[in-house]
Amino acid sequence: MPKEKTYRFQKVYSLPRAEVWKLLSDTDHLNRVTGLFPVQFTDAQFKDQSMFRYAETKVLALVPIKWREYPFEWIKEERYSVERVYEGGPLERVLWTIECKDVLMDGQTATEVTGTAHFTKRNILGQAAISLIALPSLKKIIMNYLDHYIKDNTNRVVKELPQEKTSYIVYHERFSRLLDQLRTVYPHEGLADCLENHLTMTGDDEVLHMKPYRLAAKWGYARQEVLDLFLHATKIGLLTQSWNLMCPNCRVPKQTVSSLSEVGGQVHCDLCGVGYDMNFDRYVEMRFSVHPSIRQATDQTYCVAGPLRSPHIFAQYRLKPYMSQQVYYPPLPPGSRIRTLKTNHAMDITSGVNQTLTYSSKGWTDQLAGLSPNGGIIGLHNDNDEERVVVFETTAWDAEALTAADATTSQLFRDLFSKELLALDQQIGVESLTILFSDLRGSTAMYERVGDAKAYRHVHRHFDFLRRYIAAHNGAIVKTIGDSVMAAFYKPDDALRAALAIQSESAVFNESQGMEVIIKIGLFTGPTIAVNANELLDYFGHTVNMAARVQQQSEGGDIMISAEEWERESFAQAAEGYEFEVSRSYKKLSGIQNEVNLVQLTHISVSGSLAV
């Protein structure tokens, strides 16, 4: 009887290929729901001329199985495969492949799914293991999973993944009491219901390490609304928060801490073989989990390397030593690159046609990879004595990630979690942040004119006024300095919208309060350093200094911005709905050697259309 056995099964599903791919490439959830067992994985191993992880589980919690799991190979939305080599038992090796192809079914586009399993038997028991355990499990993974998904979502607007169970153990008395509190402090119709259903009806993997922006897209609500819900729910005790320290290359968490004070300056990635400095923009990500007093959810792993775990990778291949291979690459977005795992030798992609790309012990021999934007075939040659894993990936970051830079510029986060601070000796870089400074024109004269007590009340009412518009546009007040405010925004467009709203509404505010305050505003965007300063999450650096200096050029009732920043394409859209006059001038800023080209926006008012 031959040692090698190959089995293939096929079925057509009335789902788009992209949807089928998303379901089947989420291998951790897939394995969990279809009844496979949790697995313990080691860090990445680099030996025997290849890369793999040792994996170990117990079948029926009794029989131990250990194997080497090699990196997945895949082409996004088309196929993936994974090889396992067993340390003992009736099977030596399994190579499992899933392929997705567009077909027509009843005149509609559908997806043909083909599963192929290659088995290598170790002994006479191998055939029994294949027939009784392995093959039925593999068929169940694909066929039953997709059938259940289609059946369960027939009449649903928001589609749900198949789950492990129909119900979960929830401590309903406490849950109901805290939900009532949540609805009181955040009376958003519908959102609390979404959270309640999610925490009670979905599996452990979906209520642990939650991404609020991903759930916002699923539920059909604005990101800021869902983030506010999660922040309130955490403060009340429905959820817990954590900070994931992400690898900049493989984009998966390398460490998880419960507080910003535990975030160190550098983290090591076993897969990429590098240490890297933390920054708030990408590498520190905030996630949320159900509170254990609400529901006991077990954090177990069923797969660590499926395609959906690395959605930025469009194709991944294993190249044996001194091997040449023709590979297909799908259409790639601008800013993509080719990279090798572990060595991290990268090569940017440009338009063109390369016949073969060669990788040697010193890295890629080409400076650029000339590839067609529509996808195609390229030759890869590994001129090296070790296997290399080659990825075609986009450098764009995860759009659904709630980064530390984003979270900490939320006014609600700063209000509810003011003690979330970095360690005193820690400094974390932020690649890009927009700093807004404001000040009052003629505040000294106001104190003399109306008296200290009344002027003090005016200043604090104006702080409340600024805070309202800064928070409404996804920014946060970092601190007040005398009559001035320093605020931070994750997105420059939000900062501009906040400044325009403040200046356009200041006359109405003055009239309603019987005041005559005139506000000066300046904006500047760039890298900063996040620090713990006087028990405050603060920012320092050139960008902060520039924002303060730019604001000093304001005459009051206007907005000062650098000319370079004003040219942002997105600023025109951000300014829609306002009328203003634009003037340009070169100014000498205090402490800055060269003159700076500034733009001044004046006579700001609300309008139905943009006038520039």
Side-chain angles (χ1 to χ4, degrees):
M1 182 178 292
K3 292 182 64 176
E4 301 283 343
K5 296 286 289 185
T6 298
Y7 298 86
R8 180 173 287 106
F9 51 89
Q10 196 172 77
K11 189 173 180 179
V12 176
Y13 296 91
S14 56
L15 295 170
R17 180 157 51 98
E19 188 171 356
V20 171
W21 172 263
K22 191 172 182 180
L23 290 164
L24 298 185
S25 63
D26 187 357
T27 50
D28 184 79
H29 187 79
L30 183 68
N31 292 351
R32 177 188 301 265
V33 171
T34 50
L36 298 186
F37 307 103
V39 181
Q40 298 292 327
F41 290 93
T42 67
D43 287 344
Q45 308 291 306
F46 304 97
K47 57 185 180 181
D48 299 335
Q49 298 181 312
S50 60
M51 179 173 68
F52 59 89
R53 295 180 189 270
Y54 284 114
E56 191 167 1
T57 189
K58 286 187 177 181
V59 177
L60 301 176
L62 295 173
V63 183
I65 300 177
K66 187 176 182 180
W67 67 90
R68 292 186 179 192
E69 182 153 312
Y70 292 88
F72 277 68
E73 296 186 275
W74 72 81
I75 304 169
K76 189 174 183 179
E77 298 185 3
E78 294 195 21
R79 64 178 298 274
Y80 70 78
S81 63
V82 60
E83 179 184 16
R84 290 179 171 183
V85 176
Y86 292 88
E87 298 285 293
L91 297 178
E92 284 185 10
R93 173 181 177 269
V94 174
L95 177 63
W96 170 238
T97 301
I98 292 292
E99 296 176 277
C100 301
K101 185 173 71 173
D102 289 332
V103 294
L104 286 177
M105 185 172 75
D106 298 329
Q108 301 293 322
T109 301
T111 304
E112 179 185 86
V113 177
T114 303
T116 306
H118 301 278
F119 295 98
T120 304
K121 297 176 291 185
R122 177 173 277 114
N123 52 44
I124 196 170
L125 295 176
Q127 185 59 48
I130 294 170
S131 301
L132 299 176
I133 301 174
L135 200 58
S137 295
L138 293 176
K139 287 183 177 180
K140 180 181 177 183
I141 286 174
I142 304 304
M143 303 306 181
N144 289 4
Y145 186 79
L146 291 176
D147 287 338
H148 285 158
Y149 175 79
I150 292 172
K151 179 182 176 182
D152 294 345
N153 290 288
T154 300
N155 297 314
R156 285 180 175 172
V157 176
V158 178
K159 293 186 177 182
E160 298 286 352
L161 296 176
Q163 300 299 331
E164 303 167 72
K165 307 173 185 177
T166 56
S167 62
Y168 299 89
I169 298 176
V170 177
Y171 306 119
H172 288 285
E173 183 179 349
R174 177 174 172 79
F175 190 28
S176 297
R177 177 161 46 86
L178 295 183
L179 269 175
D180 288 341
Q181 292 183 34
L182 178 62
R183 289 187 170 101
T184 300
V185 298
Y186 192 59
H188 189 297
E189 184 178 353
L191 261 183
D193 293 339
C194 287
L195 183 62
E196 179 181 10
N197 291 334
H198 186 76
L199 295 182
T200 56
M201 301 301 292
T202 60
D204 289 355
D205 58 327
E206 294 199 64
V207 299
L208 298 172
H209 315 298
M210 293 178 286
K211 292 185 172 186
Y213 290 167
R214 177 174 294 173
L215 288 171
K218 176 182 175 180
W219 296 342
Y221 287 97
R223 287 183 164 199
Q224 194 63 41
E225 292 175 331
V226 177
L227 174 56
D228 289 351
L229 174 80
F230 273 59
L231 293 174
H232 280 298
T234 302
K235 189 66 175 180
I236 287 171
L238 280 167
L239 306 177
T240 63
Q241 67 177 45
S242 62
W243 301 94
N244 284 13
L245 311 186
M246 313 295 290
C247 172
N249 285 324
C250 60
R251 318 280 183 88
V252 298
K254 294 290 126 180
Q255 187 179 338
T256 299
V257 298
S258 59
S259 171
L260 283 176
S261 62
E262 301 173 61
V263 176
Q266 192 174 77
V267 172
H268 179 80
C269 177
D270 64 297
L271 180 62
C272 298
V274 295
Y276 52 95
D277 293 332
M278 285 286 94
N279 74 33
F280 264 23
D281 300 73
R282 298 179 177 180
Y283 308 160
V284 184
E285 185 178 328
M286 189 180 191
R287 296 189 186 180
F288 300 83
S289 297
V290 65
H291 198 286
S293 68
I294 299 300
R295 169 181 165 180
Q296 293 289 341
T298 304
D299 197 357
Q300 294 178 311
T301 302
Y302 290 75
C303 185
V304 296
L308 200 66
R309 192 170 173 85
S310 301
H312 63 291
I313 296 178
F314 286 74
Q316 178 166 301
Y317 294 99
R318 294 170 58 194
L319 283 184
K320 300 294 184 182
Y322 302 109
M323 172 185 175
S324 293
Q325 182 178 344
Q326 294 289 112
V327 303
Y328 172 76
Y329 60 91
L332 299 167
S336 295
R337 66 181 181 178
I338 298 175
R339 179 174 61 87
T340 53
L341 300 190
K342 182 191 175 183
T343 58
N344 290 308
H345 291 128
M347 177 172 43
D348 291 335
I349 294 174
T350 186
S351 180
V353 180
N354 280 67
Q355 299 301 315
T356 300
L357 301 171
T358 300
Y359 182 84
S360 71
S361 59
K362 296 181 181 179
W364 295 102
T365 57
D366 298 89
Q367 298 299 312
L368 292 171
L371 303 182
S372 167
N374 300 318
I377 303 293
I378 187 73
L380 296 179
H381 175 65
N382 181 14
D383 190 19
N384 192 54
D385 61 1
E386 292 185 348
E387 179 181 86
R388 288 289 176 245
V389 179
V390 179
V391 302
F392 294 72
E393 65 182 1
T394 174
T395 55
W397 204 252
D398 181 5
E400 293 181 332
L402 172 60
T403 65
D406 192 353
T408 56
T409 52
S410 160
Q411 187 66 58
L412 184 62
F413 173 85
R414 285 181 170 265
D415 291 344
L416 297 181
F417 303 98
S418 59
K419 299 302 181 183
E420 266 288 359
L421 301 169
L422 293 169
L424 284 172
D425 61 344
Q426 194 60 259
Q427 300 178 359
I428 304 292
V430 186
E431 288 184 4
S432 181
L433 208 64
T434 300
I435 302 297
L436 179 151
F437 269 97
S438 74
D439 199 3
L440 289 181
R441 189 180 79 182
S443 60
T444 301
M446 180 180 67
Y447 274 88
E448 292 182 356
R449 186 173 66 255
V450 304
D452 289 348
K454 189 173 182 179
Y456 180 81
R457 288 196 300 272
H458 285 186
V459 169
H460 277 265
R461 288 177 190 167
H462 126 273
F463 284 157
D464 292 339
F465 169 69
L466 294 178
R467 174 194 176 90
R468 183 165 68 252
Y469 285 99
I470 288 169
H473 292 86
N474 307 321
I477 292 180
V478 177
K479 60 186 175 184
T480 59
I481 312 162
D483 304 330
S484 302
V485 160
M486 174 184 165
F489 295 82
Y490 185 53
K491 296 179 180 178
D493 299 359
D494 288 336
L496 178 63
R497 290 189 187 99
L500 289 166
I502 288 167
Q503 295 296 30
S504 66
E505 296 295 327
S506 58
V508 174
F509 167 71
N510 278 329
E511 184 177 354
S512 67
Q513 299 293 322
M515 297 164 53
E516 296 180 5
V517 296
I518 301 175
I519 303 170
K520 302 163 62 178
I521 293 179
L523 309 174
F524 199 82
T525 300
T528 65
I529 301 293
V531 300
N532 178 346
N534 301 317
E535 296 298 305
L536 179 74
L537 185 61
D538 204 348
Y539 304 100
F540 286 89
H542 174 73
T543 296
V544 177
N545 293 335
M546 284 295 294
R549 302 295 189 274
V550 169
Q551 180 273 131
Q552 289 172 359
Q553 300 301 314
S554 171
E555 298 173 356
D558 56 352
I559 302 167
M560 299 299 296
I561 309 171
S562 73
E564 180 180 2
E565 189 155 13
W566 176 247
E567 298 302 326
R568 289 177 187 271
E569 185 176 341
S570 59
F571 266 21
Q573 184 176 0
E576 286 182 358
Y578 294 93
E579 285 188 349
F580 45 82
E581 295 178 3
V582 178
S583 59
R584 300 170 183 263
S585 61
Y586 283 88
K587 298 287 186 180
K588 183 72 175 71
L589 305 184
S590 175
I592 306 300
Q593 183 175 0
N594 297 323
E595 287 189 336
V596 178
N597 189 4
L598 296 179
V599 165
Q600 181 182 35
L601 309 183
T602 57
H603 301 100
I604 300 165
S605 61
V606 178
S607 172
S609 60
L610 173 65
V612 189

